[in-house]
Amino acid sequence: MTTSSDRAESRAAAPPDIEKDLRTFLEVRTKNPIGPDDDLAAAGVSSLFVMELVTYMENTYGIVIAGPDLMMENFRTVRAMVALVERLAATGPGGPG
């Protein structure tokens, strides 16, 4: 039997799926193709949109993005966001980092 915990671990352990998912989310919202290393700030992604993205990432990946993790550099590219998700998923609530 697969539990929600198993699904969360599986999702967090599969960077290509996280990357694909984030790119799809961004492409639907911006109506533009988004590469994994595209500078989203240069593409016109606003800080208001980043807050929508934070909410989406928290709900989708079961993470909490707060404090120093809310800096724009973590949302500049899809690869940066994947790294953030992986790091936060690995540390879990109350973990180091």
Side-chain angles (χ1 to χ4, degrees), residues 1-93:
M1 181 167 120
T2 302
T3 66
S4 61
S5 176
D6 293 336
R7 283 190 298 272
E9 287 176 22
S10 174
R11 188 177 299 166
D17 292 337
I18 295 170
E19 180 182 307
K20 180 181 177 186
D21 180 59
L22 288 171
R23 288 178 64 189
T24 299
F25 176 82
L26 289 162
E27 288 172 354
V28 167
R29 295 296 193 283
T30 65
K31 297 180 177 40
N32 289 306
I34 303 290
D37 295 312
D38 289 355
D39 184 337
L40 300 177
V45 171
S46 70
S47 57
L48 183 60
F49 180 78
V50 169
M51 293 314 299
E52 180 182 345
L53 186 55
V54 166
T55 300
Y56 173 78
M57 291 168 66
E58 288 180 333
N59 292 334
T60 301
Y61 305 113
I63 59 175
V64 175
I65 304 170
D69 291 322
L70 287 171
M71 66 177 159
M72 188 61 182
E73 200 57 38
N74 286 329
F75 303 93
R76 187 154 315 272
T77 67
V78 171
R79 285 193 204 271
M81 289 183 274
V82 169
L84 177 64
V85 169
E86 289 176 323
R87 180 174 55 80
L88 293 176
T91 59

